[in-house]
Amino acid sequence: METMIMPQQSAVDTTDFLPLNGTDYVEFYVGNAKQAAHFYKTAFGFQSLAYAGPETGVKDKVSYVIRQNKLTFVLTTPLRMHNEIADHIYKHGDGVKFLSLKVEDATDAWEQTTKRGGKSFLEPTTLKDNDGEVVMSGIHTYGETVHLFIERKNYNGVFMPGFVEWKSAYNPASTGLQYVDHCVGNVGWNQMNPWVKFYEEVMGFRNILSFDDKDISTEYSALMSKVMSNGNGFVKFPINEPAEGKKKSQVEEYLDFYNGEGVQHVAIATKNIIETVMDLKSRGIEFLNIPGSYYDTVLDRVGTIDEDLKPLRELGILIDRDEEGYLLQIFTKPLEDRPTLFFEIIQRKGAKSFGKGNFKALFESLEREQDLRGNL
Ligand code: FE2
């Protein structure tokens, strides 16, 4: 057993040079933002929030902003070829471009991180309209992914300057998704530790959990993972790298199809995973299949839980326990045709960990899918 759990940091850390108030939004570069927005509204229960495009003076791209509780997605598509967004989609398929973080002071966030070696993506920039101002800045992280720092304390508009409110007559009900719990990055061979160092040194994060290939391996394939957390624990970024196994690691499959490093999954919290997953399934979302045998022994491992096992078994929801409580989690199949990005739905009942007890069942399920694609 090679998992290491690092000691907890005190809740108030006066030395945190990059205080973060959580995820502000996740922006995806997609081939067709109009259809993607419809998909995320219909299938996941987001509501229309804001829009930017030719009608609002943006000539080269269109962005739709959708929201559900504290979860905000931006879906952006290019209108022409030969530009950074079109190239990104050609190379990676649809994927996460910006993991944007809420800060009190975007200028200070940029100064603190760039002076520690962060590569600037955007110098502090103030955007203004009649509703106030938003300051944003940004640094590069793994692959072509970017962290934007968003300061919106002096803004009262619907999203940010440049966007207009998007009112729609089509408003599917929420599925109970609440906020981003964590976002996982897949990086290349021997790149996990350099990126752990980046999050430690440039962003002041701490490594709170480590899993090596003994923890995360099946008969065929393996990976390694380290979980990075910011000072107050609102932002958590696990970093995976492939490990040698008999066959191809799921992380390698991702790297092949994404053509590089990028966001593997976004984990989204719910307060009632059974209701949320029933709702998502009824809207056509497909999840990884978990063998019924998993449920024959799971309670021996995790002990008593509040939920009946029957609906968890029927829906394929996984259970794990740590010292502080338990969690329920489930993973969607890839959200697009390339086997790259997927979502995790998670309900935490005290547990602060990431479902280590489920890794084997989960990865065997992933491998069955990988095998069907001919990529194992
Ligand atoms: Fe996860």
Side-chain angles (χ1 to χ4, degrees):
M1 223 295 289
E2 303 295 328
T3 306
M4 289 188 289
I5 299 175
M6 315 307 169
Q8 291 286 316
Q9 199 172 20
S10 66
V12 181
D13 183 350
T14 50
T15 65
D16 191 353
F17 63 81
L18 183 62
L20 301 175
N21 296 324
T23 303
D24 194 281
Y25 65 88
V26 179
E27 181 164 353
F28 304 74
Y29 281 173
V30 299
N32 186 335
K34 178 178 274 196
Q35 289 188 1
H38 194 279
F39 169 76
Y40 285 108
K41 286 176 64 176
T42 302
F44 286 96
F46 284 81
Q47 299 294 313
S48 304
L49 182 73
Y51 172 86
E55 301 86 343
T56 68
V58 180
K59 293 297 176 206
D60 57 346
K61 64 178 183 178
V62 172
S63 295
Y64 295 82
V65 187
I66 54 176
R67 180 170 286 168
Q68 179 167 190
N69 297 309
K70 290 181 180 166
L71 192 57
T72 306
F73 285 175
V74 180
L75 302 154
T76 294
T77 204
L79 290 173
R80 296 179 180 280
M81 61 195 293
H82 300 313
N83 56 71
E84 178 258 331
I85 305 173
D87 293 348
H88 195 278
I89 295 164
Y90 179 70
K91 185 172 175 191
H92 303 298
D94 289 4
V96 172
K97 177 65 183 180
F98 299 108
L99 290 173
S100 302
L101 305 167
K102 250 187 240 306
V103 297
E104 285 297 307
D105 186 337
T107 306
D108 187 57
W110 184 85
E111 284 169 357
Q112 295 290 343
T113 50
T114 53
K115 84 175 181 200
R116 288 174 169 82
K119 189 178 152 208
S120 176
F121 172 83
L122 176 70
E123 290 186 15
T125 303
T126 304
L127 308 171
K128 289 184 186 173
D129 67 11
N130 292 337
D131 294 310
E133 64 176 50
V134 167
V135 186
M136 60 197 288
S137 63
I139 59 169
H140 293 270
T141 179
Y142 49 78
E144 293 194 78
T145 317
V146 169
H147 290 312
L148 292 178
F149 302 117
I150 310 289
E151 171 191 331
R152 51 171 76 255
K153 60 178 184 279
N154 297 316
Y155 194 66
N156 297 312
V158 65
F159 180 58
M160 57 169 70
F163 286 79
V164 295
E165 187 174 11
W166 173 26
K167 282 198 174 134
S168 172
Y170 177 61
N171 303 299
S174 167
T175 59
L177 301 178
Q178 300 291 328
Y179 56 85
V180 174
D181 184 277
H182 60 275
C183 278
V184 179
N186 278 343
V187 300
W189 295 94
N190 303 314
Q191 292 304 302
M192 179 177 69
N193 286 328
W195 285 109
V196 164
K197 203 167 158 234
F198 165 87
Y199 280 105
E200 282 172 347
E201 291 180 358
V202 174
M203 296 185 68
F205 281 41
R206 293 171 63 252
N207 174 211
I208 56 165
L209 274 174
S210 295
F211 308 103
D212 73 7
D213 49 349
K214 291 182 198 67
D215 294 316
I216 316 185
S217 66
T218 64
E219 189 186 348
Y220 296 125
S221 70
L223 64 85
M224 296 187 279
S225 189
K226 288 190 175 175
V227 181
M228 305 307 294
S229 171
N230 81 316
N232 61 16
F234 288 0
V235 178
K236 291 184 283 292
F237 294 140
I239 309 288
N240 296 334
E241 80 167 52
E244 289 292 351
K246 276 190 209 160
K247 295 193 178 180
K248 191 189 242 183
S249 167
Q250 53 170 292
V251 179
E252 259 184 293
E253 188 197 32
Y254 174 100
L255 295 170
D256 274 5
F257 281 85
Y258 199 72
N259 285 306
E261 303 179 338
V263 173
Q264 179 209 38
H265 74 266
V266 179
I268 304 169
T270 169
K271 292 176 183 164
N272 187 330
I273 196 167
I274 294 175
E275 283 181 8
T276 293
V277 172
M278 280 174 57
D279 200 353
L280 292 173
K281 281 199 166 181
S282 76
R283 297 168 187 230
I285 293 301
E286 294 184 324
F287 294 91
L288 290 179
N289 294 309
I290 301 301
S293 57
Y294 170 91
Y295 296 92
D296 296 342
T297 56
V298 67
L299 294 183
D300 300 338
R301 178 166 59 81
V302 302
T304 312
I305 57 169
D306 302 335
E307 295 73 14
D308 287 335
L309 197 57
K310 191 164 173 277
L312 300 177
R313 180 195 285 264
E314 283 167 4
L315 296 167
I317 294 168
L318 300 163
I319 314 149
D320 198 26
R321 184 178 286 279
D322 63 21
E323 301 73 31
E324 295 171 88
Y326 70 97
L327 62 82
L328 303 159
Q329 63 185 168
I330 191 169
F331 298 82
T332 71
K333 290 186 179 178
L335 292 160
E336 54 218 24
D337 292 303
R338 295 194 199 196
T340 54
L341 179 73
F342 59 89
F343 288 167
E344 171 183 349
I345 311 297
I346 184 166
Q347 181 180 6
R348 293 187 181 277
K349 303 192 91 169
K352 296 208 176 78
S353 53
F354 294 84
K356 173 176 177 278
N358 293 323
F359 286 169
K360 196 168 160 58
L362 175 67
F363 296 144
E364 284 172 352
S365 175
L366 275 166
E367 279 167 11
R368 284 192 294 276
E369 301 281 325
Q370 202 178 330
D371 196 24
L372 286 172
R373 293 189 285 262
N375 297 331
L376 185 60

